[in-house]
Every structure is written in C-alpha cells, then in structure tokens.
C-alpha cells in the first residue's frame, strides 16, 4: 500500500533504520529455570515493536532485560552497541501496575517532578516543564490532585508523563493499558502514537491484545513459551497516522489479526 | 459528617459531665473518706491554687521537658536505626532475633540498671524514657522501611535516583505512616516513664508532686496533679494528630 499523507516515520517493517537495541543469542535462567533461550532480535531506532505471546512466555522478562533490571545468563543485550549493565535514564519504563508505580504521597505534579529531580533539572524550570507534560497527557487540570483521586486511565497517563519527563530515547511499556476499559484504552493508544510520533522514540510494547499490537506497531514479535523464544516477526504494513476506525477496517489489519490469532492459538495449544 | 462529629462531641461532653457529677455525689455522700477522695470542687480549687501560685505550672513544665526530650531522643535514634535496619534485608536477618528478645522487656526492668550506671540523676530519667519510647518507633520504622513497595525501587532505578534520594524521597515518605504511629505510642510511653522516673529519682515534676501529695494526705493536690497529667497526655496526643493529618494529607483525600 502506498499512502499519500505519510509521516516522517517509516510506515513499514523491520530494522529499516539504524539498530538501537539488540538481543544477541540471549539466555536467561532465573531460579534454576530457563526463562528465555536463544533470543535474537534487533530493534531499529524509532521503531515501534509490539510483543505478544501466551502468558508466562517471557515478555516481561525481555522488557526487564532491556530496562537493565535483569542481566542475561548468556549472550548480550546491547544499546547502541554497548551492553546494558544497569537501568539508564534514556530508557523509560511504563509499568502495568500504575497504582504501585506512582508515589501516593506526591501530587500529580510532584510525581512528574520526581523524574526532573532525578535528571537534575533546576527547580526554577520545573513549573513550565511539568505544565507542558501534563498538558500533553491531558492532566493539566489535575496537577494538584493525589494519585488516589485519579481514575485508572488518568493514573496511567501520569505515569506516561513521568516517563516523558526523562526525555527517553526508548519507551518500554508492559501491558500499560491492560487494566483499562476499551474507550480509555483507545484514547491512550492514540495519545501514545502521537507522543511517539513527535519525539521519535523507540518503543518496546508488551500486550495481550493482538489488535492493539497491530494498531500500534511497526512490527509484532510473537514469542513461544518454555523456554521463551522469538518464534516469528510480523511486519505491519499499515500507514501512519493510524485511525481507530479506518485502520481497523483495512484488509491488511484484518489479515494480520487472523495470522496473529492463529499464531497465539497454536502457541497456547 | 460535621453534624455527626458535633453529635459525638456533644455526647462525650455529656458523658464527661455525668462522670463529674457522679464523682461529686460519691464525695458528698462520703462513700469514700474525704481524706482519700476529694470532690471535684476541692480538686478544682487545688488546681486553681496550684496554677495561681505557679508551682503546678513549674511541675508541669518539668515533666513536659523530660517527656519531650526523652521522646525526641528516642525518635532520632529509633528512626535512624530503624531506617538502616529496615532498608537492608541482611541487617534485618542479623538483628531481628535480638530485637525480638529486647522488645518485650518492660522499660521499668532497666531502671535498676540505669540507676546503677547513672545514679538518681536527670540523665538516668532521660535515658529510661528514651529507652522505653525507643522500641515502638524502632520497630515501626523497621517495618515501614521493609514494607516499601518493591516497584517503587524499580521506578527509582529506572529514573536514576541517587541512593540518598531513594531513602529521602521514596523510603522515608512511604514509611512515614508507620513511623508516626510508632511516635504516637512512644509519646505515651515517654509520659508514663517521665512520671515514674520523677517518682524514683525525686526529680521535680508532676510525678513527684503527686507522690508527695499522696504521702502527706493532700488528696486535692494529688487529684489536681492527676488531672493535669491527663490533660497533658490528651493535648500531646492531639498535637500529634494534627501533625499526622498534615503530613499524611494524601491519605485522607479519597
Ligand atoms: N524473578 C523471577 N524469578 C524466577 N522466575 C521468574 C521471575 N520472573 C519471572 N519468572 C518466570 O519467568 C516466566 C516468564 O515470566 P514473564 O513475567 O516474563 O512472562 P510474561 O510473558 O510477561 O507473562 P504475562 O503475560 O503473564 O505477563 C514465568 O514462568 C515466570 O514464572
Ligand atoms: Mg508480563
């Protein structure tokens, strides 16, 4: 498909750009059990990679390897060619359990400020920056509320705002919308696409929702369990910007949905 | 909400008034010898007299000073030590058994030891208060620091917070509710031990005043002292409640 209104980002497939993150024959053993085996995967700069697979196949574990929260037992996980020895400020993580990832004793602005404090932004600049970030995720009116006064969707927006405050080159998202209702979810999907489109960030996005994976991704990676390994890579040939109605009705979308559905069914069997 | 609170308040006032009335009635009927039980009228008169002459005020101040210093000392040591122990699983594993052994030890049990070491001095009283008030704060702080949501430590790592920031901005605020409830318990213990310490070491304060009043059969003075002590406990707990509400504002806003 050739589209007319193409965005600066490449619409299609695989590492068409420079490689940014690479798994190089990665094994991971935790508690004596092999969780991941022989993972080989290259993620290009600015690519939006979605990961699907049956529960317990190691999606979160892969994400934590990129985050630097786990170290491989064998092989290497590299960022710009260098092994990821520990968490880095330019790799941000959006956790699924937003309730636990926010500081309940800090207001919405205070939670965003935490990231600014961490990177050493002078206090004088906090106000403007926080204002801008909250506006971007639609929380401008709630700056002085505490997390427990926000809905789930708003809390997840806040977590995203805090991650954006890091000005990350990479966003790791672990089923970020899993706990949200369908409407909120779609709204946030589009917000994330917007934000990523503007910042050019690279995204590693774990999800259970196959349609979400197709809708968001440049590529969908399918994992198989026991031990976790990369089974297939499905390039998504859908133009950007994507549209909740039109995109989901495209033949390519429907074709991918069928292929992924079959994949998951086979993987879970 | 406010109506219900007003009703509660009015109710407790009524109960208080009934108790005082009952007390007056028992005293008037001389069910208990007036040598031991003065009526509220005589207790009140003694109270007014005590404050008018400035003696009661002085005793009150002595007790408050002792209680607060001992409590602050215990808070400082308890929170610092509790933070160090609570944050490290290794330290907890090594120290927990010893703490469990020391904890149930009533503070009064160490008074003889304290007297042997420090004599019947102000320092001895302070040490006993601090020792007794230390435990609830130490244990609450350890628990608070050990119970920090692990996810928040991962968030800190991902954000690249310094070690010091993690303690100051994540662990301490997260443990604060536990710490404050420990401090509240500690304050009660500090008051009790201040009084006991004064009685034992003859340090000037409400405890000694009560003891001397009892020995010389000045029952109204004794009751006046007890009333002031009760008020002291009440007011200090109120102050802590206010502080707690301010510091834990985020919890109330549901
Ligand atoms: N810290 C750990 N120690 C031991 N085993 C672990 C650890 N973390 C995860 N595992 C195991 O590794 C396997 C993969 O876990 P992981 O969380 O990566 O799966 P997942 O694909 O994210 O699953 P889900 O879709 O349910 O989130 C699971 O069997 C899990 O029990
Ligand atoms: Mg997972």
């Amino acid at each position: 498909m050739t589209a007319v209104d193409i965005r600066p980002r490449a619409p299609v497939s695989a590492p068409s750009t420079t490689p940014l993150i690479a798994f190089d024959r990665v094994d991971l053993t935790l508690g004596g059990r092999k969780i991941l085996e022989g993972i080989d995967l290259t993620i290009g700069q600015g690519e939006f990679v979605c990961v699907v697979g049956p529960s317990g196949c190691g999606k979160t574990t892969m994400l934590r390897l990129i985050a630097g929260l786990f170290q491989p037992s064998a092989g290497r996980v590299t960022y710009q060619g260098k092994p990821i020895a520990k968490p880095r400020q330019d790799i941000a993580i959006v956790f699924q359990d937003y309730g636990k990832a926010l500081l309940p004793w800090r207001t919405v602005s205070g939670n965003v400020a935490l990231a600014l404090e961490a990177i050493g932004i002078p206090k004088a600049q906090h106000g403007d920056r926080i204002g801008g970030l909250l506006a971007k995720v639609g929380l401008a009116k709630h700056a002085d509320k505490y997390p427990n006064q926000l809905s789930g969707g708003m809390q997840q927006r806040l977590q995203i705002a805090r991650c954006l405050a890091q000005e990350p080159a990479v966003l790791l998202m672990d089923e970020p919308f899993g706990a949200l209702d369908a409407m909120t979810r779609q709204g946030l999907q589009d917000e994330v696409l917007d934000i990523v489109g503007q910042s050019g960030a690279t995204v590693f996005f774990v999800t259970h929702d196959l349609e979400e994976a197709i809708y968001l991704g440049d590529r969908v990676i399918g994992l198989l369990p026991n031990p976790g390994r990369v089974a297939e890579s499905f390039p998504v040939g859908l133009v950007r910007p994507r549209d909740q109605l039109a995109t989901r009705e495209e033949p390519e979308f429907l074709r991918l949905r069928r292929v992924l559905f079959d994949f998951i069914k086979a993987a879970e069997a | 909400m406010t109506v219900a609170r007003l009703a509660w308040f009015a109710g407790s006032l009524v109960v208080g008034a009934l108790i005082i009335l009952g007390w007056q009635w028992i005293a008037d009927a001389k069910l208990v010898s007036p040598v031991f039980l003065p009526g509220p009228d005589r207790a009140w008169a003694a109270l007014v007299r005590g404050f008018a002459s400035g003696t009661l005020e002085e005793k009150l101040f002595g007790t408050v000073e002792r209680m607060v210093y001992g409590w602050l000392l215990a808070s400082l040591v308890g929170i610092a030590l509790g933070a160090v122990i609570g944050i490290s699983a290794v330290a907890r594993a090594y120290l927990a058994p010893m703490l469990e052994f020391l904890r149930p030890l009533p503070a009064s049990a160490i008074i003889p030891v304290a007297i042997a070491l420090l004599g019947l001095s102000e320092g001895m009283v302070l040490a006993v208060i601090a020792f007794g008030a230390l435990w609830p704060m130490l244990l609450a702080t350890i628990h608070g620091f050990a119970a920090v949501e692990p996810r928040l430590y991962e968030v800190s790592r991902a954000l690249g917070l310094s070690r010091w920031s993690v303690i100051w901005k994540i662990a301490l605020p997260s443990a604060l509710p536990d710490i404050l409830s420990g401090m509240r318990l500690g304050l009660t213990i500090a008051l009790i031990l201040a009084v006991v310490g004064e009685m034992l070491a003859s340090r000037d304060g409400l405890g000694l005043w009560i003891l001397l009043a009892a020995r010389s059969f000045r029952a109204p003075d004794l009751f006046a002292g007890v009333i002031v002590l009760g008020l002291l406990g009440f007011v200090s707990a109120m102050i802590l409640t206010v502080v707690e509400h301010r510091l834990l504002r985020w919890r109330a806003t549901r």
Side-chain angles (χ1 to χ4, degrees):
Chain A
M1 277 195 107
T2 39
V4 200
D5 65 331
I6 242 170
R7 284 243 181 139
R9 296 179 40 145
V12 218
S13 93
S16 52
T17 48
T18 32
L20 186 67
I21 298 163
F23 286 75
D24 181 13
R25 274 172 292 163
V26 169
D27 292 353
L28 182 65
T29 308
L30 286 177
R33 234 187 84 217
K34 200 157 231 183
I35 309 291
L36 295 175
E37 186 173 64
I39 303 278
D40 266 312
L41 177 69
T42 307
I43 298 170
Q45 177 121 38
E47 202 185 355
F48 200 124
V49 172
C50 293
V51 181
V52 298
S55 189
C57 69
K59 304 182 291 293
T60 299
T61 308
M62 270 183 84
L63 181 139
R64 292 173 68 86
L65 278 165
I66 305 177
L69 294 170
F70 281 156
Q71 290 300 315
S73 318
R76 305 193 315 158
V77 182
T78 58
Y79 179 76
Q80 293 175 329
K82 288 188 278 292
I84 302 168
K86 60 180 175 62
R88 322 169 36 110
Q89 285 181 329
D90 48 0
I91 301 184
I93 313 170
V94 179
F95 293 99
Q96 171 173 10
D97 42 5
Y98 39 77
K100 291 181 179 172
L102 298 170
L103 311 188
W105 55 86
R106 284 201 183 204
T107 59
V108 166
S109 344
N111 268 281
V112 177
L114 185 70
L116 300 178
E117 291 160 18
I119 47 180
I121 306 276
K123 270 255 155 44
Q125 296 174 27
H126 282 200
D128 286 351
R129 291 244 196 165
I130 294 170
L133 287 162
L134 291 184
K136 197 177 267 182
V137 297
L139 287 177
K141 284 196 194 124
H142 307 284
D144 295 324
K145 289 194 177 156
Y146 288 97
N148 64 13
Q149 296 172 290
L150 304 177
S151 69
M154 287 154 91
Q155 290 185 30
Q156 193 57 296
R157 282 200 179 95
L158 173 54
Q159 203 193 168
I160 292 172
R162 186 177 67 196
C163 285
L164 296 178
Q166 286 176 265
E167 300 193 334
V170 178
L171 268 174
L172 306 176
M173 308 182 89
D174 192 357
E175 300 186 39
F177 311 141
L180 304 175
D181 64 273
M183 284 309 289
T184 312
R185 211 177 158 105
Q186 294 200 345
L188 277 170
Q189 287 168 355
D190 287 332
E191 279 174 36
V192 163
L193 284 182
D194 264 357
I195 289 166
V196 169
Q198 283 165 30
S199 69
T202 305
V203 185
F204 186 89
F205 192 103
V206 173
T207 178
H208 263 119
D209 181 344
L210 302 181
E211 295 196 19
E212 179 171 76
I214 304 165
Y215 182 73
L216 294 174
D218 295 318
R219 185 157 55 122
V220 180
I221 306 290
L223 297 191
L224 284 176
N226 305 317
R229 56 204 187 273
V230 175
E232 269 190 81
S233 169
F234 308 90
V236 179
L238 292 165
V239 293
R240 293 187 190 274
R242 294 186 180 163
D243 177 86
Q244 289 290 355
L245 283 177
T247 301
R248 287 172 192 268
E249 283 166 357
E250 283 197 37
E252 166 73 352
F253 188 93
L254 299 173
R255 181 189 68 81
L256 276 168
R257 198 176 73 153
R258 155 126 271 151
V259 173
L260 279 174
F261 188 80
D262 288 343
F263 169 80
I264 289 292
K265 221 166 71 180
E268 275 173 352
Chain B
M1 177 66 199
T2 36
V3 175
R5 280 183 64 173
L6 260 173
W8 270 107
F9 186 64
S12 55
L13 277 187
V14 170
V15 171
L18 284 178
I19 289 174
I20 292 175
L21 276 179
W23 173 13
Q24 184 75 63
W25 179 77
I26 291 172
D28 287 347
K30 297 206 166 34
L31 292 178
V32 180
S33 156
V35 179
F36 299 115
L37 183 77
D41 49 349
R42 288 171 60 211
W44 177 254
L47 193 71
V48 171
R49 205 175 338 111
F51 273 110
S53 68
T55 24
L56 211 43
E57 202 174 294
E58 195 188 304
K59 313 290 172 202
L60 171 64
F61 187 72
T63 303
V64 168
E65 201 177 32
R66 225 162 263 132
M67 166 181 90
V68 169
Y69 283 154
W71 178 72
L72 283 180
L73 188 62
S75 306
L76 225 68
V77 176
I79 293 169
L81 211 59
V84 172
I85 299 172
I87 224 163
S88 144
V90 181
R92 257 181 289 147
Y94 279 108
L95 292 174
M98 193 181 74
L99 293 180
E100 284 309 311
F101 170 75
L102 285 173
R103 183 175 62 115
L105 214 64
S108 42
I110 74 127
I111 292 181
V113 183
I115 292 179
L117 288 176
L118 299 167
L120 289 172
S121 63
E122 192 64 56
M124 183 282 285
V125 179
L126 217 62
V128 169
I129 296 173
F131 180 85
L134 176 72
W135 295 104
M137 291 188 233
L138 180 64
L139 294 168
T141 308
I142 292 176
H143 176 260
F145 272 82
V148 174
E149 170 59 48
R151 181 67 82 221
L152 288 181
Y153 283 135
E154 287 181 0
V155 168
S156 324
R157 289 183 67 195
L159 290 175
L161 286 179
S162 68
R163 208 181 153 65
W164 174 245
S165 300
V166 173
I167 295 174
W168 187 245
K169 293 174 180 172
I170 308 285
L172 190 66
S174 164
L176 195 59
D178 285 314
I179 293 176
L180 285 174
S181 67
M183 288 177 83
R184 173 185 290 280
L185 253 166
L187 190 63
T188 312
I189 296 177
L191 178 57
I192 294 169
L193 288 176
V195 170
V196 171
E198 284 165 6
M199 289 179 171
L200 279 175
S202 300
R203 312 306 305 182
D204 212 14
L206 286 173
L208 189 61
W209 158 277
I210 289 171
L211 188 73
L212 294 182
R215 280 195 186 148
S216 48
F217 299 101
R218 286 184 283 117
D221 280 352
L222 188 156
F223 272 76
V226 170
I227 291 171
V228 174
L229 265 183
L231 283 176
L232 173 54
F234 179 72
V235 169
S236 52
M238 285 284 274
I239 294 175
L240 259 193
T241 304
V242 171
V243 171
E244 214 172 311
H245 266 281
R246 276 202 71 84
L247 287 177
L248 303 181
R249 214 169 359 181
W250 56 273
R251 286 181 128 197
T253 53
R254 284 230 167 248

